[in-house]
Amino acid sequence: MARRFPLWVTASVVALTVGLAAPPAEAATREAPPRLPDTYAVSAEPGMVPEGIAVHRDGRMYVTSDATGALFAGDVRTPSMHPFAVGAVDRPSSRGVHTDTAGRVWSVGAGTLTVHSRTGRLLATRTAPDGPLGPADLNDLAITADAVYVTDWANPIVYRAQLRHGRPGPLQPWVDIRSAFPQFPAQYWLLNGIVADAAGDTVLVASNGTEAVWRIDVATRTVEQLDLGDQSFGADGMVLAGRRLYAVLNYGAPNGVYVADLDPDLRSGTVTHKILTDADGQAFDLPTTLARHRCRLYVVNSQGDHRPGQPPYTVSTVSDPACGE
């Protein structure tokens, strides 16, 4: 049998239900996250030619110039960037850039590794010795808890600097990668991106020349090819998130972002996603590297195949296809 309630009780319940179901419009507006730009203007300076990118966990963004050596800074919430560390970088080219857990900015180019504070103050400079083929031409870097590892575009060498209290020691040759493929011509290794696992036990190094990624065991310095099947994978920049490898390819395969899921030992994997256009459906303009922040990927359009290119030089974004998996 249905229960009956006084009219005043029914009216009170209805009013309470309506109040809970319909919060004030201004509260909903306050909670809505701001829309982030799809494209970022790095610089309108002719001939800048961007190369590397880093996005810190707080959203600060840094981009390097391969043509001038300059660094640029910005934020994922704003569509334009500005010069960074002006007067504190003295080299003709800057390529790889990363931030550490303290927010310091590490970058490489020509023959030097530099470290800047988040305000742009120069904290350290380390110079790489010549390799077996001549002067170093540093390309990218990976930072672990106790070391920084650096690739050399001109020599088949991976350099290493020991870290003590966050400061790098001398930059020294660590692995001559020719040991893994001695018959391959030394001058064509063209080492590019480099990443390390969270424990600092394994380093992955990309080689344009061999169209492959090479795995280095840190303890033994043993080098072996990462098995990705028949996929040409001469990556430029790379990001490693757990066992998921994100890479920009611009040689040996269509330009774009490629995602591979790797096995627990980081010895083999399968390419699961290929992204050949940006958020607006436009083709990337010779992409060189990428950064990952939350569920978005930030991709540098270098215009490097038609230098000096056409300003403004930009960073494009795409959704991370593996986010949440």
Side-chain angles (χ1 to χ4, degrees):
M1 185 172 98
R3 299 181 61 186
R4 298 182 182 276
F5 295 94
L7 290 177
W8 66 268
V9 173
T10 304
S12 298
V13 171
V14 171
L16 179 60
T17 303
V18 171
L20 290 175
E26 60 270 19
T29 301
R30 281 200 306 270
E31 295 173 2
R35 176 176 171 79
L36 299 179
D38 290 332
T39 303
Y40 298 83
V42 180
S43 174
E45 176 187 350
M48 176 260 180
V49 188
E51 173 76 17
I53 185 170
V55 178
H56 192 59
R57 61 190 177 191
D58 63 4
R60 285 181 292 126
M61 184 191 305
Y62 301 93
V63 172
T64 62
S65 168
D66 186 26
T68 70
L71 305 180
F72 294 83
D75 190 282
V76 297
R77 292 163 291 192
T78 56
S80 60
M81 304 183 70
H82 57 271
F84 173 76
V86 177
V89 181
D90 183 20
R91 60 184 174 224
S93 173
S94 290
R95 291 182 178 150
V97 59
H98 292 282
T99 61
D100 61 18
T101 55
R104 291 170 293 211
V105 183
W106 299 62
S107 61
V108 296
T112 64
L113 161 74
T114 57
V115 187
H116 292 86
S117 71
R118 59 186 301 159
T119 62
R121 182 168 61 91
L122 181 63
L123 301 176
T125 299
R126 299 292 182 267
T127 300
D130 290 355
L133 304 182
D137 188 8
L138 304 183
N139 195 297
D140 201 4
L141 68 154
I143 306 168
T144 68
D146 61 359
V148 56
Y149 299 89
V150 182
T151 55
D152 188 341
W153 174 257
N155 294 276
I157 297 295
V158 178
Y159 297 87
R160 183 181 188 271
Q162 186 76 24
L163 295 182
R164 290 184 176 84
H165 307 294
R167 290 186 59 83
L171 199 56
Q172 299 175 330
W174 178 62
V175 168
D176 187 326
I177 206 163
R178 290 177 295 179
S179 62
F181 194 0
Q183 62 269 40
F184 191 79
Q187 69 271 30
Y188 296 134
W189 274 90
L190 307 177
L191 301 186
N192 256 321
I194 183 169
V195 292
D197 68 344
D201 296 331
T202 304
V203 171
L204 300 179
V205 177
S207 163
N208 266 175
T210 61
E211 296 186 36
V213 174
W214 299 84
R215 179 190 187 276
I216 304 177
D217 182 286
V218 170
T220 65
R221 306 190 196 184
T222 302
V223 184
E224 60 183 302
Q225 184 175 345
L226 176 65
D227 182 3
L228 292 171
D230 295 331
Q231 171 70 56
S232 171
F233 217 86
D236 201 332
M238 302 190 297
V239 170
L240 183 65
R243 290 164 43 192
R244 184 162 288 138
L245 181 66
Y246 299 79
V248 166
L249 270 63
N250 53 34
Y251 180 80
N255 290 355
V257 176
Y258 291 65
V259 185
D261 287 344
L262 308 183
D263 73 339
D265 293 328
L266 307 184
R267 284 188 162 87
S268 64
T270 302
V271 175
T272 57
H273 300 87
K274 299 178 184 180
I275 308 168
L276 306 183
T277 59
D278 63 18
D280 294 324
Q282 300 298 310
F284 300 110
D285 198 344
L286 195 75
T288 46
T289 191
L290 77 165
R292 177 176 173 267
H293 181 62
R294 298 185 179 173
C295 283
R296 300 216 306 172
L297 305 176
Y298 297 77
V299 184
V300 175
N301 294 299
S302 74
Q303 303 188 48
D305 57 347
H306 51 97
R307 291 178 180 239
Q310 181 65 47
Y313 301 93
T314 63
V315 170
S316 296
T317 63
V318 293
S319 297
D320 182 348
C323 191
E325 291 183 2

